[in-house]
């Protein structure tokens, strides 16, 4: 049986909040065990992400808990829309409310910011992707939210691809780049960051087919893209936002990596309204 989405992350969050020691809910006595319902309501326009994680939260507290999604994951929702209803014991709803909202507000914030970036480059061949600037312990969920927002997968960990960056260049000690890359295992993708014309030429001489252009203006990216040719993937990153992403797309970037999607996405406003039993 497949593990529920966010199972490990949910268990850590519930333990952190000490939900089974809820000093307030225990004051309700036997009322906490009665059946109740809650509505998750959007308070602003947002892209929904994280409802399955909410279901996991309440299922951990009440095996009979049931979440009924009313808006699909990855869809836009308007202010006042009910995203889902949750049916569980009153005690489970009260104890799990904050953890559930923390996940839902954060992941929907990531998906919403991603969708804005995707919309900003609409009509170009470029695609929006993520970086590894994620919240420790939440990377898998945050990248799930990026995908719901319309972004595409990139290098999610150090093991998934070679990413030769500025500090690697500094340690090359005059050796040809090709000599270092010869040790790459077959099938492992290679990405090389270039910051100067000399590094660009060295990467092309080493037959690198994926270049990372970091912290460069669109004009320089365009020039390097023309020099590299259509067979080379150009990935742009560094200070890119939905407001300036289109300039990089039009300059020739194939991938536009935005760290803010995960490290700075504002949590969206969603409330939980409990319906008394």
């Amino acid at each position: 049986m497949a593990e529920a989405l966010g199972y490990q992350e949910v268990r850590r969050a519930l333990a952190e909040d000490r939900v089974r020691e809820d000093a307030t809910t225990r004051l309700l006595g036997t009322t906490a065990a009665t059946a109740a319902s809650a509505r998750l309501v959007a308070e602003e326009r947002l892209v929904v992400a994280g409802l399955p994680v909410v279901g996991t939260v309440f299922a951990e507290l009440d095996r009979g808990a049931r979440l009924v999604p009313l808006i699909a994951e990855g869809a836009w929702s308007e202010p006042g829309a009910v995203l889902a209803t949750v049916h569980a014991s009153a005690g489970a709803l009260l104890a799990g409310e904050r953890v559930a909202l923390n996940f839902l507000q954060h992941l929907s914030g990531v998906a919403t910011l991603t969708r804005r970036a995707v919309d900003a480059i609409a009509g170009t061949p470029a695609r929006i992707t993520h970086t590894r600037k994620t919240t420790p312990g939440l990377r898998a969920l945050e990248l799930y939210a990026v995908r719901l927002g319309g972004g595409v997968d990139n290098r999610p960990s150090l093991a998934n691809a070679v990413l030769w960056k500025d500090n690697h260049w500094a340690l090359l000690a005059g050796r040809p780049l090709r000599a270092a890359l010869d040790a790459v295992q077959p099938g492992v993708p290679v990405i090389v960051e270039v910051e100067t014309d000399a590094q660009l030429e060295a990467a092309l001489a080493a037959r690198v087919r994926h270049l990372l252009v970091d912290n460069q203006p669109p004009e320089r990216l365009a020039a390097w893209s023309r020099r590299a040719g259509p067979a080379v993937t150009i990935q742009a990153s560094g200070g890119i936002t939905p407001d300036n992403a289109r300039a990089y797309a039009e300059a020739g970037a194939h991938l536009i990596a935005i760290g803010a999607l995960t490290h700075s996405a504002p949590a969206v406003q969603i409330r939980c309204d409990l319906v008394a039993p």
Side-chain angles (χ1 to χ4, degrees):
M1 181 175 173
E3 187 176 281
L5 180 65
Y7 175 73
Q8 296 295 339
E9 295 89 339
V10 163
R11 295 199 79 181
R12 286 195 298 268
L14 291 173
E16 178 181 65
D17 214 27
R18 297 173 65 178
V19 293
R20 302 188 192 284
E21 305 169 60
D22 184 351
T24 309
T25 299
R26 67 179 51 176
L27 298 178
L28 293 173
T30 57
T31 302
T34 59
S37 298
R39 302 186 309 159
L40 299 169
V41 183
E43 295 190 303
E44 62 180 283
R45 191 166 191 259
L46 56 88
V47 174
V48 182
L51 289 177
V53 184
V54 171
T56 302
V57 169
F58 291 112
E60 277 293 293
L61 299 174
D62 179 353
R63 291 186 179 181
R66 183 169 58 93
L67 180 137
V68 181
L70 300 177
I71 296 182
E73 291 275 277
W76 277 108
S77 174
E78 300 301 325
V82 179
L83 308 181
T85 59
V86 187
H87 308 279
S89 68
L93 293 174
L94 290 168
E97 172 188 354
R98 184 69 267 156
V99 169
L101 285 177
N102 284 349
F103 280 115
L104 187 59
Q105 291 173 324
H106 176 55
L107 297 179
S108 295
V110 171
T112 301
L113 186 59
T114 303
R115 183 66 54 78
R116 288 175 179 155
V118 168
D119 289 347
I121 63 167
T124 74
R127 296 171 296 169
I128 298 296
T129 190
H130 57 81
T131 70
R132 287 172 34 250
K133 297 175 183 177
T134 54
T135 307
L138 294 183
R139 180 173 295 172
L141 290 178
E142 289 177 342
L143 300 193
Y144 163 78
V146 168
R147 292 192 296 273
L148 284 176
V152 298
D153 282 325
N154 198 0
R155 175 178 178 254
S157 76
L158 293 172
N160 293 104
V162 169
L163 179 50
W164 191 270
K165 298 193 70 179
D166 52 353
N167 287 326
H168 300 97
W169 281 107
L171 295 171
L172 195 54
R175 291 184 297 138
L177 177 62
R178 182 73 258 169
L181 298 182
D182 279 342
V184 176
Q185 295 296 311
V188 177
V190 174
I191 308 167
V192 173
E193 178 184 12
V194 293
E195 296 182 310
T196 66
D197 291 331
Q199 289 179 350
L200 172 67
E201 295 303 328
L204 295 177
R207 300 187 298 279
V208 173
R209 290 294 175 261
H210 189 153
L211 299 178
L212 172 62
V213 179
D214 190 41
N215 289 306
Q216 303 293 335
E219 297 78 12
R220 179 166 293 172
L221 183 144
W224 286 355
S225 176
R226 289 192 296 270
R227 172 66 186 91
V232 176
T233 296
I234 302 295
Q235 177 176 330
S237 69
I240 303 177
T241 70
D243 293 331
N244 63 7
R246 190 170 189 90
Y248 286 90
E250 293 177 344
H254 301 91
L255 288 173
I256 299 175
I258 303 179
L261 300 182
T262 51
H263 71 59
S264 295
V268 295
Q269 295 301 307
I270 301 170
R271 72 176 189 269
C272 179
D273 293 339
L274 190 69
V275 180

